């Protein structure tokens, strides 16, 4: 992860501030930075979203392609994640960003491994033969701390925005199956994202934990907990990162905070997605030149 | 208790420009023709092609008699002798430290250019060379003055005064060097209760005002006591105000920061970074600045 170097006195200032619930930018320990979400930014994808959380900038594009279902799950489609961090800094170009990219992709696989998160059966066209595969590409445009949260919010927004064309399977007299795409380009199926989890990262700084850490705060924290929470507050997966250790009691506290914060995150995100949906075609697209 | 705000992005409308001060500025983008008159000498940021003078950077055209140059709007810090800079130590080498100051090359702080702790004045010996890491380590922040410039453009710093030296607890804000106004003094003790160092290289250091000026430390022993909550609030508010001014490209100097601080008092500290509140505060500060000028 791209990290900043801080002097000991700066770290001490941050740690003391967190103990008193006043972070460097005036936020409390459970406040997120102001986030901007926009969907449908990339035109040649089935769904896309861009999330700006403070300095962190994430772009997610989803392409739906037809493929064969996996052998162990013949009547379901599946998701494939790929994360690219090369545009972040020179040290992450080429091979350097691979480690971070695979780390993030593995976390996303784990978060979405829960059975109910996405209705994979709706992605099936023909059991054992054809199904929709959603290729989710994540681009890390700028790293300003807390990339996991921003990525999960962007993935959820992109899944909400994804439009998969409706296909019909026609069977000939000989038994050969043909796939027919509907003529209307707006005839498509949308995914139900109510159960899609979002990741909440809780970084332990001193004796307290903070949500949405900036790069400077991440440099002061020795251990973090990544919790994926659904909109109802159910925890679907948990991962500890960092070289420090966590006390079992503090883990319970952090889980409770994660559930609470996760629920508000989902409410805020759903509100903004509905607002964008209601604006429809009259929405002024800002994109990258705003 | 958790506050999560999300919004749809809005194209940022530029603040309405006030009356042009001192004539129109000639802004150019890379590739724009500045002039087709061949009588001019070309300076930095320009090149000649097909008998036309073309700009190679995005910025403002400056003309001094027959010399035409383009001053870039966003550029790395170019050191000038006498500038105050805030830098971060990146390397400890033999007899010198490498300091990062947001310039093209790392700046150099020679062992012979620092004040020893306790204010001793003596020639630096071999023991001092071995003990360099005890004075300044990688990651430490210092305030220094530019002593000279090497031929390759690298800047040589010195901390040979009691007001320079290692910085203690506080907050660092990094902005573009072109936004820091050149003034007589860059060390300000703001009346709101915090002090600020406006480095010419764009690094701005906000710290709690030290109670008494103790000369004996010589700037090396950092005060590691927790900063009281009231001072923290002032520092956080100042930091957010500076970020607000930077977003709207307002020049940074003590008066502009102070006006912005006073305009932000009715709002909560964490609300200052919301786009609509930022615009409101900056407009008010700009209005006060214009009123006090004219």
């Amino acid at each position: 992860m791209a990290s900043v170097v801080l002097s000991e006195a700066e770290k001490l200032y941050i740690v003391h501030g967190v103990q008193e619930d006043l972070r460097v930018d005036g936020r409390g320990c459970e406040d997120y930075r102001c986030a901007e979400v926009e969907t449908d930014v990339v035109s040649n994808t089935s769904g896309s979203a861009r999330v700006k959380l403070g300095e962190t900038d994430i772009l997610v594009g989803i392409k739906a392609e037809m493929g064969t279902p996996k052998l162990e799950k013949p009547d379901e489609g599946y998701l494939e994640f790929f994360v690219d961090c090369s545009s972040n800094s020179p040290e992450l170009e080429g091979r350097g960003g691979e480690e971070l990219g695979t780390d993030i992709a593995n976390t996303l696989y784990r978060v979405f491994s829960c059975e109910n998160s996405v209705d994979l059966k709706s992605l099936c066209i023909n059991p054992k033969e054809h199904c929709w595969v959603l290729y989710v590409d994540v681009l890390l445009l700028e790293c300003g701390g807390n990339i996991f949260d921003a990525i999960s919010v962007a993935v959820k927004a992109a899944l909400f925005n994804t439009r998969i064309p409706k296909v019909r399977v026609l069977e000939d007299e000989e038994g050969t199956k043909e796939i027919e795409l509907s003529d209307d380009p707006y005839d498509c199926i949308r995914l139900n994202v109510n159960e899609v989890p979002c990741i909440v990262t809780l970084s332990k700084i001193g004796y307290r934990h903070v949500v949405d850490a900036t790069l400077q705060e991440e440099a002061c924290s020795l251990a973090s907990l990544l919790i994926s929470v659904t909109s109802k507050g159910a925890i679907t997966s948990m991962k500890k990162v960092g070289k420090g250790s966590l006390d079992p009691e503090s883990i319970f506290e952090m889980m409770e905070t994660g559930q609470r914060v996760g629920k508000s995150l989902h409410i805020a995100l759903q509100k903004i997605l509905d607002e964008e949906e209601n604006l429809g075609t009259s929405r002024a697209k800002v994109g990258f030149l705003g | 208790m958790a506050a999560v705000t999300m919004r749809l992005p809005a194209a940022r409308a530029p603040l309405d420009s006030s009356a042009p001060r001192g004539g129109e500025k000639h802004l150019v983008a890379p590739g724009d023709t500045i002039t087709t008159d061949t009588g001019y000498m070309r300076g930095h940021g320009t090149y000649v092609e097909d008998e036309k003078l073309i700009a190679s950077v995005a910025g403002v055209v400056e003309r001094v008699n027959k010399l035409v140059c383009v001053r870039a709007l966003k550029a790395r810090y170019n050191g000038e002798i006498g500038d105050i800079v805030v830098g971060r130590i990146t390397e400890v080498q033999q007899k010198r430290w490498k300091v990062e100051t947001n310039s093209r090359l790392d700046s150099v702080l020679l062992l012979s250019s620092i004040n020893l702790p306790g204010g001793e004045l003596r020639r630096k010996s071999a023991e001092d060379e071995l003990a360099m890491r005890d004075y300044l380590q990688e990651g430490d922040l210092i305030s220094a003055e530019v002593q000279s410039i090497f031929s390759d453009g690298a800047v040589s710093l010195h901390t040979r005064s009691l007001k320079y030296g290692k910085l203690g607890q506080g907050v660092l804000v990094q902005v573009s060097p072109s936004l820091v106004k050149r003034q007589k003094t860059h060390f300000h003790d703001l009346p709101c209760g915090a002090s600020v160092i406006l480095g010419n290289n764009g690094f701005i250091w906000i710290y709690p005002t030290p109670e008494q000026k103790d000369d004996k430390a010589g700037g090396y022993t950092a005060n590691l006591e927790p900063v009281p909550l009231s001072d923290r609030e002032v520092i956080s508010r100042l930091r957010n105000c500076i970020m607000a001014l930077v977003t709207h490209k307002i020049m940074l100097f003590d008066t502009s920061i102070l006006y912005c601080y006073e305009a932000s008092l009715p709002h909560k500290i964490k609300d200052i970074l919301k786009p609509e509140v930022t615009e409101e505060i900056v407009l008010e500060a700009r209005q006060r600045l214009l009123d006090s000028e004219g």
Side-chain angles (χ1 to χ4, degrees):
Chain A
M1 199 94 64
S3 58
V4 286
V5 188
L6 290 180
S7 68
E8 292 304 318
E10 274 178 283
K11 285 189 195 165
L12 199 67
Y13 183 83
I14 293 177
V15 170
H16 284 154
V18 167
Q19 316 297 3
E20 304 201 20
D21 202 22
L22 183 70
R23 289 150 83 171
V24 164
D25 49 5
R27 286 184 288 156
C29 291
E30 298 188 6
D31 293 332
Y32 267 85
R33 286 170 285 185
C34 198
E36 271 182 21
V37 177
E38 194 183 1
T39 61
D40 207 22
V41 278
V42 184
S43 49
N44 58 344
T45 53
S46 312
S48 59
R50 183 180 177 203
V51 169
K52 267 198 274 197
L53 186 66
E55 299 275 300
T56 307
D57 204 342
I58 310 279
L59 177 65
V60 170
I62 299 186
K63 282 193 142 131
E65 290 188 12
M66 282 219 272
T68 30
K70 292 188 176 154
L71 286 171
E72 61 267 18
K73 301 235 171 95
D75 55 350
E76 284 181 1
Y78 55 98
L79 276 81
E80 291 275 0
F81 292 97
F82 177 70
V83 180
D84 179 37
C85 329
S86 36
S87 35
N88 191 26
S89 66
E91 65 203 32
L92 291 181
E93 253 175 31
R95 282 295 182 80
E98 239 176 74
E99 205 186 297
L100 178 62
T102 31
D103 186 27
I104 300 176
N106 288 339
T107 312
L108 285 172
Y109 275 121
R110 197 160 149 178
V111 166
F112 280 83
S113 64
C114 176
E115 293 211 337
N116 303 329
S117 33
V118 176
D119 187 10
L120 296 170
K121 293 204 162 44
S122 66
L123 295 176
C124 179
I125 307 168
N126 245 347
K128 287 194 208 156
E129 285 178 22
H130 299 109
C131 72
W132 285 112
V133 182
L134 294 178
Y135 290 99
V136 182
D137 294 317
V138 179
L139 252 92
L140 194 63
L141 296 172
E142 203 179 330
C143 177
N146 201 26
I147 47 180
F148 284 97
D149 293 24
I151 290 176
S152 67
V153 166
V155 168
K156 182 171 178 181
L159 285 170
F160 181 79
N161 179 242
T162 305
R163 279 155 174 75
I164 303 176
K166 273 200 185 129
V167 289
R168 281 189 311 150
V169 183
L170 301 168
E171 203 166 317
D172 268 3
E173 310 89 40
E174 287 124 41
T176 45
K177 295 190 180 144
E178 224 177 60
I179 299 198
E180 188 187 292
L181 202 62
S182 91
D183 286 333
D184 182 4
Y186 292 107
D187 187 20
C188 43
I189 51 173
R190 306 276 300 271
L191 291 171
N192 181 0
V193 295
N194 288 339
E195 296 292 322
V196 170
C198 269
I199 302 179
V200 177
T201 309
L202 298 130
S203 311
K204 184 141 199 289
I205 299 179
Y207 294 116
R208 294 185 69 154
H209 48 272
V210 296
V211 162
D212 193 17
T214 59
L215 278 178
Q216 285 83 9
E217 287 166 348
E218 280 181 359
C220 300
S221 104
L222 287 173
S224 311
L225 206 60
L226 263 76
I227 299 180
S228 61
V229 189
T230 62
S231 51
K232 297 195 181 68
I235 297 184
T236 60
S237 79
M238 201 161 88
K239 183 174 170 186
K240 181 213 164 268
V241 292
K243 47 189 186 207
S245 57
L246 287 175
D247 207 65
E249 278 127 39
S250 53
I251 295 185
F252 281 124
E253 274 174 32
M254 286 157 99
M255 275 167 61
E256 277 175 30
T257 312
Q259 280 178 306
R260 224 173 339 140
V261 173
K263 277 199 257 192
S264 346
L265 188 64
H266 278 283
I267 293 172
L269 179 61
Q270 198 56 50
K271 197 173 102 165
I272 219 60
L273 289 174
D274 292 334
E275 197 183 310
E276 213 184 18
E277 184 87 7
N278 291 338
L279 285 174
T281 42
S282 63
R283 169 167 72 99
K285 292 203 178 178
V286 176
F288 290 90
L289 299 173
Chain B
M1 241 182 56
V4 187
T5 51
M6 293 204 183
R7 59 185 62 229
L8 292 172
R12 209 176 54 209
L15 288 182
D16 59 299
S17 46
S18 47
R21 303 147 259 163
E24 285 292 312
K25 285 194 191 152
H26 187 190
L27 293 171
V28 288
D32 279 355
T33 313
I34 303 173
T35 176
T36 44
D37 191 348
T38 49
Y40 288 109
M41 280 198 297
R42 57 172 192 83
H44 287 300
T46 63
Y47 64 98
V48 177
E49 196 180 292
D50 292 341
E51 295 193 13
K52 286 186 294 184
L53 201 62
I54 304 181
S56 61
V57 289
V60 179
V61 174
E62 285 181 342
R63 193 180 77 88
V64 178
N65 296 335
K66 284 285 186 189
L67 178 67
V68 174
C69 61
V70 181
R71 187 166 52 91
L73 288 173
K74 180 180 151 178
R76 292 243 171 200
Y77 169 61
N78 279 329
E80 297 192 21
I81 300 183
D83 277 357
I84 313 266
V85 293
V86 172
R88 201 183 280 282
I89 308 284
T90 51
E91 276 178 54
V92 180
Q93 295 179 348
Q94 271 186 330
K95 288 208 188 106
R96 61 200 199 161
W97 288 272
K98 285 284 186 175
V99 183
E100 197 237 310
T101 51
N102 197 21
S103 37
R104 290 192 188 92
L105 292 166
D106 272 345
S107 307
V108 166
L109 177 63
L110 297 171
L111 178 58
S112 48
S113 312
I114 61 161
N115 264 351
L116 286 168
E120 301 170 64
L121 288 176
R122 59 180 168 78
R123 235 185 144 147
K124 311 294 191 294
S125 60
E127 282 116 32
D128 290 316
E129 209 180 311
L130 293 170
M132 274 173 77
R133 215 172 236 108
D134 295 338
Y135 304 144
L136 292 171
Q137 266 196 332
E138 285 94 340
D140 281 344
L141 278 172
I142 55 161
S143 67
E145 193 181 321
V146 174
Q147 186 177 40
S148 60
I149 307 182
F150 291 114
S151 48
D152 54 2
V155 148
S156 176
L157 305 171
H158 77 89
T159 56
R160 276 198 160 285
S161 168
L162 288 170
K163 56 181 181 175
Y164 305 128
K166 187 154 86 168
L167 299 172
Q169 292 194 53
V171 175
L172 182 73
V173 183
Q174 290 175 302
V175 309
S176 167
S178 51
L179 287 174
V180 179
K181 190 165 173 178
R182 263 180 212 279
Q183 286 188 290
K184 260 197 275 193
T185 167
H186 289 257
F187 291 79
H188 302 286
D189 281 339
L190 298 175
C192 44
S195 302
V196 80
I197 303 181
L198 296 164
N200 283 96
N201 59 335
F203 283 17
I204 299 179
W205 179 247
I206 314 170
Y207 60 108
T209 314
E211 252 122 46
Q212 75 275 48
K213 308 281 177 192
D214 33 335
D215 315 313
K216 54 178 175 58
Y220 283 101
T221 49
N223 183 13
L224 295 175
E225 282 166 23
V227 175
L229 191 61
S230 50
D231 285 347
R232 277 182 192 279
E233 286 179 356
V234 174
I235 291 177
S236 295
R237 196 177 276 279
L238 276 173
R239 182 233 177 235
N240 284 355
C241 286
I242 293 180
M243 298 301 289
L245 289 169
V246 166
T247 321
H248 289 277
K249 305 275 188 283
I250 309 277
M251 291 294 276
L252 293 170
F253 52 106
D254 54 346
T255 323
S256 69
I257 298 176
L258 202 57
Y259 285 167
C260 194
Y261 179 86
E262 285 166 9
S264 76
L265 283 172
H267 303 275
K268 276 208 278 200
I269 306 176
K270 57 186 176 186
D271 289 338
I272 299 178
L273 293 173
K274 289 191 186 153
E276 60 271 3
V277 179
T278 307
E279 204 176 311
E280 191 193 311
I281 296 176
V282 170
L283 272 173
E284 201 186 308
R286 223 167 70 130
Q287 194 53 48
R288 273 181 78 180
L289 281 169
L290 286 173
D291 291 340
S292 63
E293 265 174 40

